Every structure is written in C-alpha cells, then in structure tokens.
Amino acid sequence: MPMWRACRLFPVLVVACFVGCGGTAEALEQGLSLASVHQVIEGGTYDRPPPNGLNGTSPSCFWAHGTQQVLRSMGSAALDQGAGYLPSIPLSLVSSSCRHVLRSAVECALTPEQSVRDPVTGTLYTGWWGLAPSWLGDVLDTPGRRYVTACMVQRLNFYGTSVPILLEGAHPSITHSTAYASQYPIEESTVFGDLFSSATPLLGLLPAFNVFVCWESLLPQSCGLLGLPLLEQRICDDAPLCGLLPVGPCALSCEGSGPYWKCRPYLLAPPWTETVRVKLETSSCQ
C-alpha cells in the first residue's frame, strides 16, 4: 500500500464499521404496499420502500476517472435527453460492468415514479430515494449535487454484496422516522461532498473529488472493531483514486441541525445541510 494511503487510512481506522456498509414521503403517505415498490438488484428486487434501500456500488467503478467524467457531464444537463433516454455514454468511458454506477445516480436522484433508459445498453434505470427529482428535466442544482453525491458514496460496498441500509437527512424524502429505529439501530456515519462541481483535473493519481465522512459517537460501542483492517478496501477498493477524507466524530466535526448534522467541507466554508447519514441493521456488524 502506498505510504500516503497508509497515512490517510490511519485516522479512519477509529471508525468501527464502514461508510456505505453493510420512494418518497409522498408515496408512503399514499399507502403503497411493500410489494408495490421495488429496487432492482442482481438476481431480483428489494421490496422495502424508501428511505430503506441497498448499497453494493463498486468503489473501483465509482472512483474511476472515466466514470467521474461522465457524472460531471451528466450533472450539467437533464437526465432525460429526449424520449426518456439518458445521454449516450460510450462503453469506453463506463464499461458494462460499471454501468451500475449510473443506476446508483438515478436511484439516488429520482423517485420510484421516474425512470430513464440507457441508450447504449437499453437498460431502464428507475429512481428510488428521490433526492433530486428535478434532475430528470433540468440541470442538477447545488442541493441536488450534494445529496446525490452523499447518497452514492453511502452506497459503496467493496465486497460485491448488497447490504440493507437506511438513509437519513434533512431532505424530505429521507427524513428521520421512529418507525425504523428498531430495524436499523446502528448509526454509522454521515457523508458530505460534491462530485459534480469538482474542477480537479482527471489526470494521474489525483482523486476526482474529496468526500468527507464523520462517524457517529456510539459507533465503536455498536460495532466494536470488526472489519477495520478492510475499511479502505470497502470504501476505496485499494484504488489510489479514492478521495475519502475522514473528519472525525460527527459531534466534534459538525454542528447539530435537528436530528442531523450540518458540516463544513473546509474550515471557513459555511456549513452544508445536505448531508446523508447511513444506518445499519445489527446483522451488518456481525
């Protein structure tokens, strides 16, 4: 492991699980049954409605410069480029094995009632969390960029499996609900960042953007030290392009904003309210 990666990893090791380890409020109010809302996964579907969901995005695919180039471009235009199709994204930039990153972006941004089709593969991507539904027909605005970035990062999972997660934040579609407290008792981490507005050159070993993570104060008691040696693999897949920056415990690094955190990406920056917390089932730490 390169020395700079080892140095960066050391402060992260106090995190006791993993970032990303392991739909809309309106739809729920309309009384949709669990069987009527599905998140597509390999080999089937997932039936718990938003803000429940699954992780499983490959870090190596997500952090790849080609993928990040495509995501930046997608953010500057409407997802629907006409007749319900995404812009044409060549396989040379995002291979068929990494197209699930595009699905993740759509699932984070759009609602279950919205969808777009990949014109290259013909695959239909349907929304899930609804953090930026206006992106379907317009450019991605600042809150949308931040929420979608945080959502996508919280879904990273090196191991190639899909772990149930619950996302929480100040956005109406992922607001805190006591209904899920017993099912997801472990508050793992909060993430914030903006991949879409990054101006970092996509050259060499420079990470495409920096994403910030703080961990919840009770995480060590909840999960113990399980899995710490594999934390970097889980988030970064040993790829030098990973831009993860740990900022410490959320209670010390961020400010309380109701049940959520508002955090500063840099010392003098105004705090961002567009943060996303991930909560886990107890089994995710076993």
Side-chain angles (χ1 to χ4, degrees):
M1 179 188 301
M3 181 60 68
W4 70 272
R5 293 296 300 281
C7 293
R8 188 187 67 193
L9 177 59
F10 177 76
V12 187
L13 290 180
V14 299
V15 186
C17 278
F18 334 98
V19 173
C21 172
T24 65
E26 179 182 0
L28 294 178
E29 290 171 0
Q30 291 173 350
L32 292 179
S33 67
L34 296 185
S36 65
V37 182
H38 305 283
Q39 186 174 28
V40 175
I41 60 175
E42 186 174 355
T45 58
Y46 180 73
D47 290 337
R48 298 179 190 173
N52 297 270
L54 296 167
N55 66 14
T57 305
S58 162
S60 59
C61 287
F62 175 79
W63 290 108
H65 280 171
T67 303
Q68 291 296 317
Q69 178 182 335
V70 165
L71 290 172
R72 290 181 188 182
S73 177
M74 288 172 60
S76 64
L79 286 178
D80 186 346
Q81 290 291 291
Y85 284 95
L86 286 172
S88 182
I89 299 164
L91 294 173
S92 59
L93 284 177
V94 181
S95 67
S96 57
S97 62
C98 287
R99 304 296 267 204
H100 66 280
V101 179
L102 306 182
R103 181 190 299 279
S104 181
V106 171
E107 289 183 343
C108 285
L110 303 186
T111 71
E113 295 75 35
Q114 297 174 301
S115 61
V116 285
R117 191 174 297 277
D118 185 338
V120 175
T121 65
T123 305
L124 184 69
Y125 303 140
T126 300
W128 191 252
W129 278 282
L131 295 172
S134 64
W135 191 15
L136 181 66
D138 204 349
V139 299
L140 191 58
D141 59 19
T142 297
R145 294 198 305 266
R146 296 174 181 177
Y147 274 124
V148 173
T149 297
C151 173
M152 294 183 72
V153 171
Q154 291 289 37
R155 302 187 69 195
L156 295 178
N157 186 339
F158 165 73
Y159 297 101
T161 58
S162 295
V163 175
I165 59 175
L166 179 74
L167 299 186
E168 287 187 343
H171 193 285
S173 71
I174 56 170
T175 53
H176 172 76
S177 172
T178 57
Y180 300 112
S182 61
Q183 188 174 2
Y184 298 93
I186 300 172
E187 294 186 348
E188 189 228 56
S189 60
T190 289
V191 158
F192 55 105
D194 181 356
L195 71 87
F196 297 95
S197 65
S198 175
T200 301
L202 298 174
L203 300 171
L205 298 181
L206 283 175
F209 74 103
N210 289 323
V211 64
F212 307 89
V213 58
C214 67
W215 51 89
E216 304 296 337
S217 60
L218 295 180
L219 185 59
Q221 296 93 312
S222 301
C223 278
L225 297 178
L226 182 67
L228 288 180
L230 300 177
L231 176 62
E232 187 176 28
Q233 280 190 323
R234 186 167 188 89
I235 303 172
C236 300
D237 194 15
D238 280 338
L241 300 178
C242 180
L244 176 72
L245 290 179
V247 297
C250 298
L252 298 179
S253 308
C254 301
E255 305 171 26
S257 180
Y260 320 112
W261 301 108
K262 55 182 180 180
C263 307
R264 303 176 190 273
Y266 304 103
L267 182 61
L268 300 180
W272 291 7
T273 60
E274 301 90 355
T275 64
V276 175
R277 172 189 292 136
V278 69
K279 299 181 72 173
L280 310 174
E281 297 178 326
T282 302
S283 60
S284 296
C285 289
Q286 296 176 349

